[in-house]
Amino acid sequence: MIQFENVVKRFRRHQVLKGVELEIERGHRVALVGSNGAGKTTLIRCLLGEYTCEGSVRVDGLDPREHRREVLSKVGFVPQLPPPLKMPVIQLVRFAASLCDADPRRMIEVAGRLGLNVDSFRNHPFVKLSGGQKQKLLIAIALGRDSELLLLDEPAANLDPQARHIFFELLAEKKETSVMLISSHRLDEVATLVNRVVEMDQGNLVLDDRVADLVELSSRLYCEVGLIRPETAFARAIMQWGFQTGDGGLNWSGYVAGPDRLRYLGVLSRYAALLGSLRMDEVDTDAEGHDTRHD
């Protein structure tokens, strides 16, 4: 579906992309990783037809510069930085839906699942929303429509853990029908979302590897953490994940989205000297909405 052939991009004398060769087929969920300045966002901008470049970029055989509207009709895009749009929220939703012949009610529904009530902010300028609210609305616009290609640039950076879980569920609903290209500067943020990892460094592809596709995007974990002593800094960190304690801060429990397990363990690693016990159980939800756990 996506082809980059010897793609070179320069900004004046600085060469940002240096002959990128990459092909991505349907069914692939690709993590595009690398440090800031590696060329990830520039590659995505070339794919969207926003930049001219040397070489060839194709989406289903179409040049995104020459066939911009047709290519963009296939794409759901979540940018790393929200655009500084002053239009009211409801106007933005309707405008975005009109560009791809989508139903704005679907976008509003997805926003609600993420925890953003569009009606409560319908007349607010988009630029006045908080970072998390902007991210939820942009994700709703990208996923609340039929798209064959999802381009997600640091998509969950401003989401709270509960919204991240819903976001992963939404991706799970798209995984059979869409190609996903998920950009991040940290592999642990996206590793469990994908089945392929592409790493960039200074404008070059330095790794292209298939990975085990073992984590169900909509899965959840029930987690328990025991400390050897209470710690205020740990309490602040773990409460951001929605964890609760009933004994003054020694034992904590809560739920973690399956694809967030590495991120969660990364948080715990900062407090490794305090950990007395740790448990993580997969959670199944029955037809009546009740959780059952298994090791």
Side-chain angles (χ1 to χ4, degrees):
M1 176 162 186
I2 301 172
Q3 289 181 316
F4 295 95
E5 295 182 357
N6 195 29
V7 174
V8 174
K9 177 60 183 176
R10 295 182 176 87
F11 293 101
R12 296 184 178 179
R13 295 183 179 180
H14 180 48
Q15 190 171 349
V16 180
L17 300 179
K18 303 173 182 178
V20 173
E21 298 274 352
L22 180 64
E23 185 170 344
I24 302 173
E25 301 171 0
R26 294 182 188 276
H28 287 189
R29 302 194 306 278
V30 180
L32 182 64
V33 298
S35 60
N36 290 332
K40 306 184 303 296
T41 298
T42 300
L43 191 70
I44 288 176
R45 298 290 179 180
C46 290
L47 182 58
L48 291 169
E50 295 182 9
Y51 291 159
T52 59
C53 59
E54 300 173 37
S56 173
V57 180
R58 294 288 185 271
V59 178
D60 274 348
L62 301 175
D63 185 315
R65 293 282 296 179
E66 296 178 3
H67 304 274
R68 189 115 193 261
R69 185 175 180 84
E70 190 171 352
V71 168
L72 292 182
S73 70
K74 303 173 181 286
V75 176
F77 175 49
V78 179
Q80 180 179 10
L81 298 175
L85 300 174
K86 296 182 179 180
M87 69 173 64
V89 166
I90 192 64
Q91 183 180 341
L92 174 58
V93 171
R94 290 170 178 165
F95 173 72
S98 69
L99 293 178
C100 55
D101 297 322
D103 185 347
R105 291 174 296 183
R106 285 180 58 193
M107 297 178 179
I108 293 171
E109 178 190 354
V110 171
R113 289 176 61 182
L114 289 165
L116 179 66
N117 186 338
V118 170
D119 284 337
S120 297
F121 297 93
R122 60 186 298 115
N123 296 318
H124 284 57
F126 175 78
V127 73
K128 297 292 186 181
L129 298 179
S130 70
Q133 290 167 341
K134 290 176 183 175
Q135 197 76 350
K136 289 175 182 179
L137 188 61
L138 292 174
I139 290 172
I141 288 172
L143 301 186
R145 46 161 296 190
D146 296 325
S147 51
E148 300 176 46
L149 171 59
L150 290 174
L151 300 180
L152 312 171
D153 199 351
E154 303 282 1
N158 292 312
L159 298 183
D160 57 84
Q162 179 59 27
R164 287 173 67 92
H165 175 61
I166 300 301
F167 171 59
F168 300 143
E169 286 186 341
L170 291 165
L171 290 185
E173 295 169 9
K174 296 276 189 179
K175 72 177 185 178
E176 302 298 333
T177 58
S178 300
V179 173
M180 299 183 193
L181 183 60
I182 306 173
S183 174
S184 178
H185 67 283
R186 291 179 53 183
L187 180 57
D188 64 338
E189 290 278 341
V190 295
T192 50
L193 299 177
V194 301
N195 53 24
R196 183 177 174 188
V197 176
V198 172
E199 184 176 359
M200 297 188 68
D201 183 40
Q202 299 183 11
N204 294 299
L205 296 189
V206 295
L207 174 71
D208 186 352
D209 195 16
R210 302 294 176 90
V211 296
D213 190 8
L214 300 177
V215 176
E216 173 55 48
L217 293 179
S218 59
S219 64
R220 284 202 308 165
L221 304 170
Y222 175 76
C223 302
E224 296 177 343
V225 184
L227 305 183
I228 59 175
R229 61 175 172 81
E231 171 58 50
T232 301
F234 178 84
R236 284 197 301 266
I238 204 68
M239 286 173 67
Q240 293 178 6
W241 288 74
F243 277 52
Q244 297 181 341
T245 181
D247 57 4
L250 274 177
N251 295 285
W252 296 82
S253 62
Y255 291 91
V256 172
D260 254 349
R261 65 187 71 200
L262 290 180
R263 186 167 174 265
Y264 165 70
L265 291 173
V267 171
L268 295 186
S269 70
R270 302 202 298 264
Y271 305 94
L274 292 171
L275 299 180
S277 62
L278 176 63
R279 181 178 180 126
M280 300 170 63
D281 295 330
E282 292 279 355
V283 175
D284 290 329
T285 302
D286 61 26
E288 298 178 354
H290 301 129
D291 289 340
T292 58
R293 304 169 202 159
H294 56 88
D295 295 338

